[in-house]
Amino acid sequence: MFTVKEAAEIMGISPHSLRFYDKEGLLPTLSRTESRRRMFSYEDLEWVHNIQCWRATGMPLAEIRRYIELAREGDGTIEERYEIILKQRERALE
């Protein structure tokens, strides 16, 4: 498990960005200590990496949030997630 500072260093982004992602509901598996400090797992860091990639393509936060919600629902949402990615690909290519 990693603190905000450690996770920010690993991912090459600011601690503020990590806190923002959490506040926006983009890190659904993020855990906290008894004193409410955020603790990042490897799974959380994978989500951060994906979020960074999607943001680099200009994907809106609402769509990122929707994709993450669908992913957490399981394999039954693969087609819908694929459509989100295809739609974003088209926007990025424009």
Side-chain angles (χ1 to χ4, degrees):
M1 298 295 275
F2 305 97
T3 64
V4 170
K5 181 180 178 184
E6 293 166 336
E9 288 174 4
I10 291 167
M11 300 308 298
I13 61 175
S14 71
H16 173 78
S17 293
L18 290 175
R19 289 184 195 101
F20 175 77
Y21 292 157
D22 179 36
K23 189 179 105 182
E24 290 296 314
L26 303 178
L27 301 171
T29 62
L30 188 68
S31 63
R32 292 181 182 262
T33 65
E34 285 184 20
S35 59
R36 305 292 301 148
R37 293 184 136 197
R38 294 171 179 91
M39 295 302 292
F40 292 79
S41 66
Y42 285 108
E43 181 181 359
D44 298 319
L45 297 183
E46 287 178 26
W47 280 119
V48 171
H49 174 75
N50 290 335
I51 292 165
Q52 289 177 298
C53 291
W54 293 324
R55 291 298 293 151
T57 70
M59 183 183 268
L61 288 176
E63 287 198 31
I64 294 172
R65 188 178 304 107
R66 178 69 181 142
Y67 183 94
I68 292 169
E69 289 169 358
L70 291 169
R72 301 231 342 126
E73 289 177 23
D75 289 347
T77 65
I78 288 174
E79 285 187 37
E80 191 172 350
R81 286 183 275 154
Y82 182 67
E83 290 299 320
I84 290 171
I85 296 301
L86 284 180
K87 181 179 171 185
Q88 183 57 33
R89 180 180 183 272
E90 290 300 316
R91 280 192 296 230
L93 289 174
E94 290 174 0

